[in-house]
Amino acid sequence: MKNQRVFRFVTTTAGVLLCTLCLSAADNKGGKVRIIQTNSAGDNIHVIDPATNKVVGVITGIEVNHGAAVAPDGSRIYVSDEAESTLDVVDAKTLKVTNRIPLSGHPNNIAVGRDGKRVYVGIIQEPGGVDVIDTASLKNVKTLKTKGSIHNAYVTPDGKYVVAGSIQGKTVNVFDAQTEQPAWTLDMDLGVRPMTFNSNPDGSTKWIFVQLSGFNGFAVVDFATRKEINRIKNPDLPTGKATVPAGSDPSHGMAVTADGKTLVVCSRLNNFLYAYSLPDLKLLGGAELGGKGAGWVTLTPDGKRAYVANPVTNDVSVVDIASLKEVARIPVGFVPKRNTTGILQ
Amino acid sequence: MRAILAAVIAVELLTPVPIAGQASAWTPSRTPDGQPDLQGVWLNNDATPLERPRELAGRSQLTDAEVGEFRRRAAVLLADNDNDFAAGDALFLAVLSNVARYKSRNSTAGTSEMIEREFDNRTSLIVDPPDGRIPWTTAGKRRYDADVAAGQATAPVGPEDLTNVIRCLTYGVPRLGVNNATAAGSLGYYLILQAPGYVVLMYEAIHEARIIPLDGRPHLPESIRQWSGDSRGRWEGNTLVVETTNFSPKGNVMGSGEHLSLVERFTRVAADRIDYEMTLADPTTWAKPWTVGIRLKQRQETLYEYACHEGNVAVMHGVLSGARAAEMAAAATTGTSGQSAAPSTAPALDFEFFKTKVQPIFLAKRPGHARCISCHTSGTPLRLQPLSPGSTTWNDEQSRKNFEAVQRVAVGSTRSLLLRHPLAEQAGGDFFHSGGKHWDSQDDPEWQILKAWVTR
């Protein structure tokens, strides 16, 4: 619980803008910062120590694992299991699966609530929705109805909203996390892929950054007015540079640094990780990746390093955000999918 | 169809001339809107091969005496219609080998249907790299060879097994084809038209046109892919420079598809000649960019209709009849109608082999991998039957349904998705499989079983 208290202090007093699992360095006390990397064509999940960029643990026995989330107290890792259509609960110390919780359908990505009491699981199988898992009873207690089946589920940085995107429905579905009732829904013109958030000085959600099917870039949705206010296309590649034809959507995976000043955006098509300044959305530059596929990204708590999942080359690129250089590549399992940053007990 | 022109070898000796962008004293006239005038009908009838033959390694130039001898040999071959039509590089290679008679199993006509080809001192159209050879990557060469093999398949199952050229979909941009076959000679006619802000490059074969804007507009979004790519032109002095990207992944230009980046340069160096230089780049196919120089000669002719259209009945009937006959024979053997046993485009595959040898592969656990069945029972185009509760394999009815489903990805025999998708790219597989690459080598026993099934 100590970690949670420190986390709240940081967000409320400094007004920094944190993405879902971007924790302050102050949270590291008593815990181990780890990058959790799922492997969707594998049967294992890799645990990476960002201090050494080495794999320090492997969770086994989960085929076609998709999303991962770490409990705020660091005791558990939750993993969506596409092969069994379950949410698998992993003991963070032993890295063993302790429970498999049946879901209402085939899952995609997941998010854990700020207080750790709920895990939200995006259900991609029709009719879709967001399964709500009670982490005390380890039961699937309800399914939040959505407009279209769900690819990725999130909790806003202030913990007040659950946000779920639908590729097929082309919608952003927002729920009040307290009441678990629909708050609002936004129709987009393209399928909704990954999202991330930044915050106002008071910690409330300012914008949702939304990646869209087939679009090499992202849209910006103003949370207060519930309208798209901008759409940013990633740069074109210089002549002679080859695009990457497959691996994920053209632009898939984003994160906001802990200081709220930088948005990093994966471009599978260009094989780059781009950085944009916030809130002015100016391109700061890009890191050309040695791995291929760029399908997801997570950040270290200090916002200095990005970990990019490369599903084509089965590795993770480590990018120094200040210099926008790839500084390491870490071999992981087959077709790395999602990754997340957490502090394990 | 184009009128058949006499098979005459040009008599004048062309001395080496700088390719596009290099010094030329000749100044072209201007179109009314001020562009250097490139308009007219132009022909690529260079006899020089695309790549320098191994026999001429280290020699970028022939002697004048050799050129004269090659012309003589070519005249002898072309004068006798018992020789086969020699497309692309074939004529040069035939005279280099000094064959008494030219025969090709890919030819459907004789030499009387050829047009004149011009021999000069060059030993390759490739001017860079200096060795005149394509700087293949291993994967690129493999894709190219697969395309060549597909063009020579003896019993293709469906139109998908045929090349874009045979299907009359496109002859590709740039016009190189396989061994220059769709580039030089009777398929080498271009019509260039110019209008304010645009250049139109039309190919007689197969009535493909590229409308090239000159106004500096950006390329289409990367997600939009086109057979002929997306071209943007500009003038550098008297040279038209055209940059083309956004090629379709279904294209195949010398092994390259969607990664192709093309820069073409057209310079009119004389009233009757354009030097046409093209530089092709694709790091996934070639180790470095390479450049080709072609001489387009002006012709006082018009373009004709070129009768090649997707789905040509005669082509499809003829080319696919072998596989249909095999299906009917198999249906007669098994007592089925043939139509109901499998989709009309499916090969006559062996169900028992599938059930006993192929199906277990979908259930097999390979270290670190998810099993095929873990993904392919939902959410993927190839849909296997879920196992019944408590079962470790499929029953007969389920196996039949799996058989029907898997047949659809077995179309294309050795080029089928079933063989390429889970195979590592460096071993001949395709680029990416969201279920991962299960085999690093075609020697893997499981992959060999799949191959044995689709090729039986």
Side-chain angles (χ1 to χ4, degrees), chain A residues 40-44 63-64 83 106 214 216 233 235-237 239-240 242-247 269-270 292 311-312 334-335, chain B residues 221-223 225 243 258-259 261 263 281-284 365-371 374-375 378 431-437:
Chain A
S40 61
D43 61 358
N44 50 26
E63 284 188 69
V64 200
H106 198 82
N216 186 23
K233 180 180 175 299
D236 288 331
L237 278 179
T239 299
T243 56
V244 174
L269 191 73
N270 295 3
K292 286 185 179 174
V312 177
F334 296 110
V335 188
Chain B
E222 290 93 337
S223 57
R225 299 280 157 169
E243 295 188 357
E258 73 273 30
H259 301 305
S261 175
V263 179
D282 173 359
T284 69
K365 185 72 184 71
R366 287 170 281 280
H369 285 275
R371 293 163 298 160
S374 297
C375 287
S378 64
F431 182 73
F432 180 69
H433 173 214
S434 59
K437 297 295 188 180

Side-chain angles (χ1 to χ4, degrees), chain A residues 33-35 48-54 300-301 305 307 318 341:
Chain A
V33 178
R34 295 291 183 260
I35 308 298
I48 297 167
D49 180 354
T52 61
N53 286 331
K54 304 287 186 192
T300 49
R305 296 283 172 93
Y307 287 73
V318 185
T341 306

Side-chain angles (χ1 to χ4, degrees), chain A residues 32-76:
Chain A
K32 301 166 289 189
V33 178
R34 295 291 183 260
I35 308 298
I36 313 297
Q37 179 63 60
T38 67
N39 302 295
S40 61
D43 61 358
N44 50 26
I45 294 114
H46 285 75
V47 181
I48 297 167
D49 180 354
T52 61
N53 286 331
K54 304 287 186 192
V55 173
V56 294
V58 180
I59 302 165
T60 59
I62 306 177
E63 284 188 69
V64 200
N65 48 84
H66 191 118
V70 177
D73 66 2
S75 63
R76 292 170 176 166

Side-chain angles (χ1 to χ4, degrees), chain A:
Chain A
M1 299 306 290
K2 180 179 177 182
N3 287 344
Q4 279 184 262
R5 284 200 300 275
V6 176
F7 181 63
R8 193 167 296 116
F9 170 81
V10 170
T11 55
T12 54
T13 60
V16 296
L17 316 170
L18 303 182
C19 60
T20 309
L21 282 168
C22 291
L23 307 177
S24 162
D27 298 309
N28 300 356
K29 293 175 183 174
K32 301 166 289 189
V33 178
R34 295 291 183 260
I35 308 298
I36 313 297
Q37 179 63 60
T38 67
N39 302 295
S40 61
D43 61 358
N44 50 26
I45 294 114
H46 285 75
V47 181
I48 297 167
D49 180 354
T52 61
N53 286 331
K54 304 287 186 192
V55 173
V56 294
V58 180
I59 302 165
T60 59
I62 306 177
E63 284 188 69
V64 200
N65 48 84
H66 191 118
V70 177
D73 66 2
S75 63
R76 292 170 176 166
I77 302 166
Y78 300 103
V79 179
S80 53
D81 178 334
E82 289 198 65
E84 301 293 337
S85 292
T86 54
L87 179 75
D88 295 353
V89 183
V90 177
D91 182 284
K93 286 182 178 170
T94 65
L95 300 183
K96 301 294 184 190
V97 177
T98 60
N99 298 79
R100 295 186 197 270
I101 304 167
L103 300 170
S104 64
H106 198 82
N108 270 186
N109 204 12
I110 66 175
V112 65
R114 274 283 301 274
D115 59 9
K117 293 180 178 176
R118 300 291 211 206
V119 175
Y120 303 97
V121 183
I123 302 298
I124 193 71
Q125 184 178 343
E126 299 283 352
V130 176
D131 278 4
V132 181
I133 309 301
D134 178 78
T135 60
S137 64
L138 295 179
K139 301 286 187 190
N140 183 359
V141 294
K142 68 174 74 169
T143 301
L144 308 180
K145 290 187 177 177
T146 52
K147 191 174 176 184
S149 58
I150 297 304
H151 186 39
N152 292 296
Y154 301 88
V155 175
T156 54
D158 60 4
K160 292 185 176 178
Y161 294 93
V162 176
V163 182
S166 175
I167 299 171
Q168 161 256 342
K170 304 177 183 175
T171 53
V172 176
N173 301 264
V174 182
F175 297 86
D176 184 311
Q178 189 70 37
T179 64
E180 294 176 344
Q181 295 298 312
W184 50 277
T185 302
L186 177 65
D187 290 307
M188 304 293 287
D189 60 330
L190 297 169
V192 173
R193 298 276 178 166
M195 292 182 274
T196 193
F197 310 87
N198 71 343
S199 303
N200 293 303
D202 65 359
S204 62
T205 303
K206 177 180 175 66
W207 291 338
I208 312 176
F209 303 98
V210 183
Q211 286 171 310
L212 300 165
S213 293
F215 179 61
N216 186 23
F218 58 92
V220 183
V221 172
D222 182 73
F223 198 85
T225 61
R226 306 170 185 180
K227 290 182 178 172
E228 181 179 341
I229 57 171
N230 209 337
R231 192 170 288 201
I232 307 291
K233 180 180 175 299
N234 290 323
D236 288 331
L237 278 179
T239 299
K241 288 277 187 186
T243 56
V244 174
S248 60
D249 223 46
S251 187
H252 198 279
M254 293 179 291
V256 174
T257 55
D259 62 5
K261 292 182 177 176
T262 308
L263 169 71
V264 295
V265 179
C266 292
S267 173
R268 176 271 292 168
L269 191 73
N270 295 3
N271 217 42
F272 267 76
L273 180 73
Y274 292 108
Y276 294 85
S277 61
L278 292 176
D280 53 352
L281 293 168
K282 299 295 184 191
L283 179 69
L284 298 171
E288 186 169 12
L289 303 173
K292 286 185 179 174
W296 202 264
V297 61
T298 190
L299 306 175
T300 49
D302 60 10
K304 291 183 176 176
R305 296 283 172 93
Y307 287 73
V308 180
N310 298 316
V312 177
T313 46
N314 300 327
D315 52 26
V316 173
S317 291
V318 185
V319 174
D320 179 72
I321 294 175
S323 63
L324 286 173
K325 299 288 184 191
E326 182 186 81
V327 295
R329 278 169 65 194
I330 306 165
V332 290
F334 296 110
V335 188
K337 193 83 167 184
R338 304 286 186 260
N339 53 27
T340 190
T341 306
I343 298 176
L344 304 187
Q345 285 183 354

Side-chain angles (χ1 to χ4, degrees), chain B residues 84-421:
Chain B
D84 284 345
F85 190 106
D89 295 346
L91 180 62
F92 186 97
L93 298 176
V95 301
L96 178 65
S97 301
N98 198 17
V99 297
R101 182 163 297 284
Y102 175 73
K103 288 293 177 188
S104 168
R105 71 188 183 99
N106 293 321
S107 291
T108 56
T111 54
S112 65
E113 297 195 22
M114 294 176 64
I115 65 167
E116 70 274 27
R117 302 288 297 278
E118 290 192 358
F119 284 78
D120 58 51
N121 296 74
R122 294 173 299 169
T123 56
S124 68
L125 294 179
I126 294 176
V127 296
D128 184 60
D131 68 358
R133 306 286 296 182
I134 297 170
W136 295 109
T137 61
T138 303
K141 184 66 164 62
R142 190 176 291 119
R143 281 195 299 275
Y144 172 74
D145 288 344
D147 193 47
V148 173
Q152 299 172 346
T154 52
V157 171
E160 300 85 358
D161 295 344
L162 303 170
T163 66
N164 294 334
V165 170
I166 294 174
R167 295 178 72 183
C168 296
L169 292 177
T170 177
Y171 281 7
V173 170
R175 267 308 152 82
L176 292 175
V178 172
N179 297 326
N180 214 13
T182 54
S186 57
L187 303 181
Y189 280 85
Y190 296 67
L191 172 65
I192 297 178
L193 299 170
Q194 290 170 268
Y198 292 91
V199 173
V200 178
L201 186 60
M202 181 167 179
Y203 305 91
E204 184 181 62
I206 52 175
H207 40 75
E208 294 181 278
R210 298 164 62 193
I211 301 172
I212 302 164
L214 303 172
D215 56 5
R217 71 183 68 175
H219 280 287
L220 294 172
E222 290 93 337
S223 57
I224 298 176
R225 299 280 157 169
Q226 304 185 130
W227 287 122
S228 298
D230 180 48
S231 296
R232 297 288 180 268
R234 65 178 186 276
W235 290 99
E236 290 184 1
N238 289 331
T239 298
L240 172 65
V241 180
V242 181
E243 295 188 357
T244 305
T245 60
N246 296 57
F247 286 97
S248 168
K250 297 177 181 177
N252 192 330
V253 175
M254 303 299 289
S256 178
E258 73 273 30
H259 301 305
L260 176 60
S261 175
L262 173 68
V263 179
E264 297 159 288
R265 302 173 69 87
F266 299 82
T267 308
R268 192 166 187 174
V269 296
D272 60 352
R273 190 172 124 185
I274 289 175
D275 278 355
Y276 173 24
E277 178 188 282
M278 61 179 84
T279 298
L280 301 91
D282 173 359
T284 69
T285 305
W286 307 302
K288 56 184 177 179
W290 50 287
T291 300
V292 172
I294 290 171
R295 298 167 181 175
L296 299 176
K297 295 92 183 179
Q298 191 165 54
R299 307 292 291 211
Q300 301 305 317
E301 301 179 63
T302 57
L303 298 193
Y304 288 79
E305 176 192 1
Y306 196 93
C308 186
H309 301 271
E310 183 182 7
N312 275 351
V313 172
V315 172
M316 290 301 140
H317 276 187
V319 172
L320 304 181
S321 59
R324 297 293 83 77
E327 284 175 6
M328 291 176 67
T333 303
T334 60
T336 64
S337 66
Q339 290 296 314
S340 58
S344 61
T345 56
L349 296 171
D350 186 316
F351 173 68
E352 281 305 313
F353 190 94
F354 171 81
K355 183 181 170 186
T356 57
K357 303 285 188 185
V358 173
Q359 248 186 181
I361 293 172
F362 303 146
L363 295 169
K365 185 72 184 71
R366 287 170 281 280
H369 285 275
R371 293 163 298 160
C372 304
I373 189 179
S374 297
C375 287
H376 284 288
T377 54
S378 64
T380 59
L382 168 58
R383 195 68 62 87
L384 300 171
Q385 296 297 302
L387 293 175
S388 301
S391 295
T392 56
T393 189
W394 291 282
N395 62 32
D396 230 43
E397 181 184 353
Q398 292 168 331
S399 296
R400 280 283 175 195
K401 289 180 178 176
N402 286 344
F403 180 63
E404 290 177 15
V406 178
Q407 278 189 102
R408 297 189 185 98
V409 294
V411 169
S413 189
T414 55
R415 295 172 59 240
S416 66
L417 274 180
L418 183 66
L419 292 184
R420 290 187 293 119
H421 223 32

